[in-house]
């Protein structure tokens, strides 16, 4: 992965003492008028909560106060008849300069954490602009093209978007790795850990500052890393027990390690991506069920009727199990599943061959395992 100069700030820099001066946040808002209000907000649960407000005077707004440490916050702007604007930044002692816009030019600079975060934000914004340009390409809906030409254009666009999305995750992963000892890296880790592999996560755990030892999300991430290690490729499968749609107790070990290649599919009837992926599994089951493949569905549903209806609607004919605990599903927690659909491919002896495969890649892995 590329290395970016702005990611090499040290924890010592971020912890630099700013005395008793506290913080001053000054900035401008695109399209705002004097007398309009800007709000300083925090995220609580999934809601923004107002902490402070500032009136725009002579084109600028100012917040003042004092922080014990850098914290992640939002600035928001709303005015009648105008587009609402918001951006995130780090509130920390020192002088922070803000530029709040309706485009990709948002900026927060002037303090250690914000300078690092702004470097990352700028690169992510640049990639997002490229993605939006792809989606806005008139060729994707050109009525003069044949169906085949249009499908080819769309496939090409999808491949470009996927490549850019991978670049986004490379930047974020690099940002986490280079800043894990400071608030920027911790924030990025807490919000993106489910996109990272165990090989990326494991080396980071000892580097997390002691100040975050009791942080609820960090504790959960560390626990998930241990579970990811236990259920990584090359490990023997971890067993668990749930109920069939008929209410009978069943274990994963009733299928795995019994001489068949087993694909464990974590899914739910309410999950759109799961439903879109299901035809691929139906096809794979038809093709390989008599050649040594078994599929075991593990549902994260919470309503038995919805689960059973989903099985019927999607043409699922392979074994199913669930504890109807939604995201508290015991099987999903044991395998550190944080998004669905998620697959785990287990060989005939019970060793995990692959995780997280879908579409053509999954089909290829199944065919290879059955050779």
């Amino acid at each position: 992965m590329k290395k970016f100069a702005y990611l090499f700030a040290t924890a010592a820099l971020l912890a630099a003492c700013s005395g008793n001066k506290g913080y001053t946040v000054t900035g401008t808002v695109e399209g705002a008028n004097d007398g309009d209000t800007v709000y300083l907000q925090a995220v609580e649960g999934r809601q923004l909560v107002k902490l402070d407000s500032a009136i725009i005077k002579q084109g600028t707004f100012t917040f003042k106060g004092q922080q014990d440490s850098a914290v992640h916050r939002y600035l928001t702007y709303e005015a009648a008849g105008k587009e609402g604007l918001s951006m995130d930044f780090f509130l920390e002692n020192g002088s922070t300069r803000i530029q709040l816009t309706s485009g990709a030019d948002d900026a927060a600079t002037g303090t250690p954490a914000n300078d690092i975060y702004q470097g990352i934000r700028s690169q992510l914004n640049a990639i997002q602009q490229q993605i939006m340009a792809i989606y806005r390409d008139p060729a994707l809906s050109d009525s003069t093209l044949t169906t085949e030409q249009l499908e080819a254009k769309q496939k090409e666009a999808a491949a470009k978007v996927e490549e850019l999305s991978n670049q986004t995750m490379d930047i974020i992963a690099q940002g986490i790795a280079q800043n894990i000892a400071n608030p920027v890296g911790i924030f990025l880790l807490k919000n993106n850990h489910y996109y990272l592999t165990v090989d990326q996560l494991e080396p980071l755990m000892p580097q997390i500052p002691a100040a975050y030892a009791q942080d609820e999300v960090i504790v959960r991430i560390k626990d998930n890393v241990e579970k990811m290690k236990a259920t990584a490729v090359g490990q023997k499968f971890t067993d668990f027990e749930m109920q069939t749609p008929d209410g009978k107790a069943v274990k994963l070990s009733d299928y795995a390690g019994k001489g068949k290649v087993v694909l464990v599919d974590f899914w739910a009837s309410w999950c759109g991506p799961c439903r879109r992926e299901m035809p691929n599994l139906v096809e794979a089951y038809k093709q390989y069920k008599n050649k040594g493949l078994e599929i075991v569905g593990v549902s994260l549903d919470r309503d038995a009727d919805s689960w059973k209806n989903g099985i019927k609607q999607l043409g699922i004919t392979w074994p199913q199990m669930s504890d109807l605990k939604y995201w508290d599903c015991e099987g999903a927690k044991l395998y550190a599943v944080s998004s669905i659909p998620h697959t785990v491919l287990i060989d005939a002896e019970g060793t995990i061959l692959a995780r997280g495969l879908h579409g053509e890649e999954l089909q290829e892995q199944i065919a290879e395992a059955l050779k």
Side-chain angles (χ1 to χ4, degrees), residues 190-240:
K190 290 168 69 171
N191 285 274
N192 297 280
H193 64 92
Y194 32 79
Y195 295 120
L196 303 182
T197 66
V198 65
D199 290 339
Q200 290 173 305
L201 288 168
E202 187 177 8
L204 301 176
M205 298 301 102
Q207 302 179 58
I208 295 175
Y212 297 97
Q214 302 305 315
D215 183 284
E216 181 180 350
V217 178
I218 294 299
V219 169
R220 188 166 66 247
I221 291 172
K222 288 183 176 180
D223 181 56
N224 274 349
V225 169
E226 291 305 310
K227 291 173 179 175
M228 290 170 75
K229 287 165 59 180
T231 58
V233 172
Q235 299 295 320
K236 289 291 184 179
F237 76 92
T238 298
D239 201 13
F240 56 87

Side-chain angles (χ1 to χ4, degrees), residues 239 249-256 258:
D239 201 13
V250 63
K251 293 182 178 180
L252 179 57
S253 58
D254 292 336
Y255 308 98
K258 302 291 188 183

Side-chain angles (χ1 to χ4, degrees), residues 27-47:
T28 60
V29 179
E30 180 184 2
N33 297 322
D34 281 2
D36 288 348
T37 304
V38 178
Y39 294 97
L40 175 65
Q41 304 203 61
V43 175
E44 294 184 7
R46 296 186 177 183
Q47 302 293 323

Side-chain angles (χ1 to χ4, degrees), residues 260-261 285-293 370-371:
K260 284 191 172 185
V261 171
Y285 199 54
K286 286 180 181 178
Q287 185 173 356
Y288 296 114
K289 68 178 180 179
N290 295 323
K291 299 179 181 179
L293 174 70
L370 290 171
K371 284 183 178 179

Side-chain angles (χ1 to χ4, degrees), residues 6-25:
Y6 61 80
L7 294 177
F8 287 86
T10 65
L13 175 62
L14 291 174
C17 179
S18 58
N20 296 318
K21 293 182 180 180
Y23 64 77
T24 300
V25 179

